[in-house]
Amino acid sequence: MNNLPQFPVTVVGSMPRSKIVSRALRNKGKGRINDQDFNAIANDAVLDCLKIQEDNGVDIVSDGEQRRDNFYSFITGCIDGIRLMTLAEMLDYVEDKAAFEQLLNALDVPAFALKNPVVDGKLKRTTPLVLNDFLFLKQHTSKPIKVTLPGPYLLTRSMWVKKLSYDFYPDKESLGNDVVNILRQELQELENAGCDYVQFDEPVLTEVAFTGPHETHTFMCAALSEKSSPEEELNFAVELINRVVEGFDDKIKTALHVCRGNWSQQEDVLLRGSYDLLIPYFSQMKIKQFVLEYATERAGSIDVLSELPPDKEIGLGVVDPRTTDVETVVFIVDKVKSVLKHRNPEQIYLNPDCGFGTFADRPVNTIEIAVDKLRAIHQAADRLRTEY
């Protein structure tokens, strides 16, 4: 990581999957193809994603999450004690059926199209979550690699459904203990393998901060259980992430990605609100970098970042992965300059607001638009490097 240029360009994680990859993911999920046949298809897709990133100036690359059905439910295939359920199937088990049904009706996504991992047994990791994906990518690039993992609060919050989980985990806290242990084991193996950069995805934190104890605006919190107060939930999130990264401070760059939802191109169904409510909690986290969306006006003022501790880096979202209009170099440069009031150049990384293909069957953009947006970020980084 020491050889990175100033204003390094990276990605948040996912890239759109081809129809071939999406079909292979469905067939794998239904047991129609074995792991060997699936990986033959996925390997080619990963290499295609890598070439796209390398050809368009991405300095820290990812595998495009090509082997995943979405950014967090893929863990079902790696951990015993988890059942993958569609939101429609979960209606039979949630505590507040009326609120959950209202949520499903409000979504612009069919309830059978999105799947959520739910705990229905004692958790036991049977295979690494992402280590093997990292090792494959490492064989094919000399660039630093970003590995993405679902965050501990997201997993603990979204997987605990009282009717299915209580006999094994009587509360979210007991489930959180095993989630932390699994993520720490993964982090240790990644460090041993030479991984440079691990990003934990916690999009659910915005919803917790922006909504009251009995409100639900998106499926990310999944309305699975009665919420505690936002303060209690966010303190719990701080505790979980700090337990995961404890002891890795000087050995691997850890990052936290927080956005406002990335399943739709309809702005009115996505969350809106400034990060200012989360800054006090971010400030307590033993995380080196915060990967935040700022290309959308829904993110509010960028000046709230001045309140973060001065040693924290910013992964600045400078293009919106959901729009077809490609941001101009001037737009991106101006966005970076607005952060330079609060951070040194070496503390700012450039990335999209979120992934381009969070859900395998529902990418928020085409690969062509994704390429154009990555190229624009690279061009802006070149201009900034010349100026600073």
Side-chain angles (χ1 to χ4, degrees):
M1 296 287 279
N2 293 333
N3 296 323
L4 285 172
Q6 207 165 40
F7 303 107
V9 177
T10 186
V11 290
V12 172
S14 63
M15 295 286 281
R17 287 86 166 172
S18 68
K19 291 181 179 178
I20 294 173
V21 173
S22 294
R23 188 182 309 117
L25 281 163
R26 289 193 300 272
N27 286 336
K28 181 188 175 189
K30 295 178 180 179
R32 294 173 180 166
I33 61 173
N34 59 33
D35 288 347
Q36 183 177 356
D37 291 340
F38 171 76
N39 281 325
I41 296 170
N43 287 349
D44 288 343
V46 168
L47 295 180
D48 287 343
C49 281
L50 175 62
K51 187 174 190 310
I52 285 171
Q53 292 171 80
E54 291 184 333
D55 287 351
N56 290 282
V58 176
D59 301 300
I60 306 170
V61 298
S62 85
D63 70 348
E65 299 181 7
Q66 295 296 295
R67 304 178 202 276
R68 309 184 190 185
D69 55 345
N70 72 46
F71 73 107
Y72 72 116
S73 68
F74 74 96
I75 67 166
T76 307
C78 308
I79 303 174
D80 283 347
I82 302 175
R83 181 197 308 185
L84 196 59
M85 302 177 68
T86 67
L87 298 189
E89 291 169 334
M90 287 165 54
L91 184 59
D92 292 334
Y93 299 98
V94 297
E95 295 172 59
D96 189 343
K97 287 184 171 55
F100 194 70
E101 198 159 19
Q102 184 179 6
L103 176 151
L104 297 183
N105 291 333
L107 288 175
D108 71 326
V109 183
F112 59 81
L114 296 178
K115 295 180 179 180
N116 190 74
V118 175
V119 168
D120 64 351
K122 197 70 174 172
L123 298 190
K124 180 183 178 183
R125 195 186 79 147
T126 55
T127 62
L129 308 184
V130 294
L131 174 66
N132 293 331
D133 302 345
F134 166 75
L135 292 173
F136 175 79
L137 193 58
K138 187 181 179 183
Q139 294 174 16
H140 298 280
T141 186
S142 59
K143 287 183 176 288
I145 294 170
K146 174 190 279 194
V147 169
T148 56
L149 281 166
Y153 179 76
L154 169 72
L155 292 179
T156 301
R157 177 60 187 269
S158 66
M159 295 197 303
W160 194 83
V161 181
K162 187 173 183 178
K163 285 188 176 180
L164 292 169
S165 311
Y166 183 85
D167 288 344
F168 308 96
Y169 298 97
D171 49 35
K172 292 193 293 290
E173 288 73 18
S174 57
L175 174 59
N177 291 334
D178 278 358
V179 168
V180 165
N181 289 336
I182 287 170
L183 291 177
R184 281 188 63 81
Q185 183 179 0
E186 194 76 19
L187 201 54
Q188 184 63 68
E189 292 176 357
L190 287 167
E191 179 192 291
N192 294 343
C195 182
D196 299 292
Y197 193 143
V198 175
Q199 171 188 295
F200 294 96
D201 295 327
E202 287 284 12
V204 73
L205 295 183
T206 50
E207 181 170 343
V208 175
F210 300 160
T211 63
H214 304 290
E215 296 176 88
T216 302
H217 289 186
T218 78
F219 70 91
M220 288 194 295
C221 270
L224 301 179
S225 57
E226 194 65 26
K227 298 179 185 178
S228 302
S229 71
E231 294 79 14
E232 289 177 281
E233 291 291 317
L234 292 170
N235 282 324
F236 183 43
V238 171
E239 175 199 338
L240 289 174
I241 193 66
N242 283 347
R243 288 169 59 192
V244 169
V245 302
E246 182 71 37
F248 293 95
D249 297 355
D250 301 321
K251 305 167 187 174
I252 198 167
K253 188 180 290 292
T254 55
L256 192 78
H257 169 59
V258 183
C259 65
R260 291 161 182 74
N262 196 42
W263 73 92
S264 176
Q265 292 177 313
Q266 295 184 28
E267 288 287 299
D268 59 341
V269 304
L270 300 173
L271 287 172
R272 174 180 299 272
S274 168
Y275 284 110
D276 60 344
L277 295 175
L278 287 168
I279 294 294
Y281 301 96
F282 288 168
S283 299
Q284 300 173 52
M285 294 180 178
K286 299 173 183 177
I287 289 289
K288 294 184 178 180
Q289 183 178 117
F290 291 92
V291 180
L292 307 174
E293 62 176 344
Y294 269 109
T296 170
E297 55 85 22
R298 289 182 295 102
S301 171
I302 209 165
D303 290 331
V304 301
L305 300 182
S306 66
E307 299 172 28
L308 280 175
D311 62 324
K312 302 300 184 185
E313 297 177 350
I314 302 298
L316 185 66
V318 291
V319 299
D320 188 337
R322 293 168 293 274
T323 61
T324 55
D325 292 336
V326 178
E327 288 79 0
T328 65
V329 171
V330 171
F331 171 87
I332 297 169
V333 168
D334 287 347
K335 189 70 67 173
V336 174
K337 287 184 176 181
S338 67
V339 180
L340 281 166
K341 294 183 293 183
H342 313 298
R343 286 294 178 275
N344 297 323
E346 61 270 17
Q347 292 179 291
I348 301 171
Y349 288 50
L350 309 185
N351 44 257
D353 274 356
C354 201
F356 289 101
T358 302
F359 299 93
D361 286 329
R362 193 179 174 82
V364 292
N365 230 318
T366 65
I367 192 65
E368 291 79 14
I369 296 295
V371 167
D372 288 344
K373 287 179 180 265
L374 291 177
R375 187 179 297 125
I377 300 176
H378 171 63
Q379 291 169 351
D382 272 350
R383 184 174 298 184
L384 287 160
R385 290 162 188 165
T386 299
E387 186 169 349
Y388 289 93

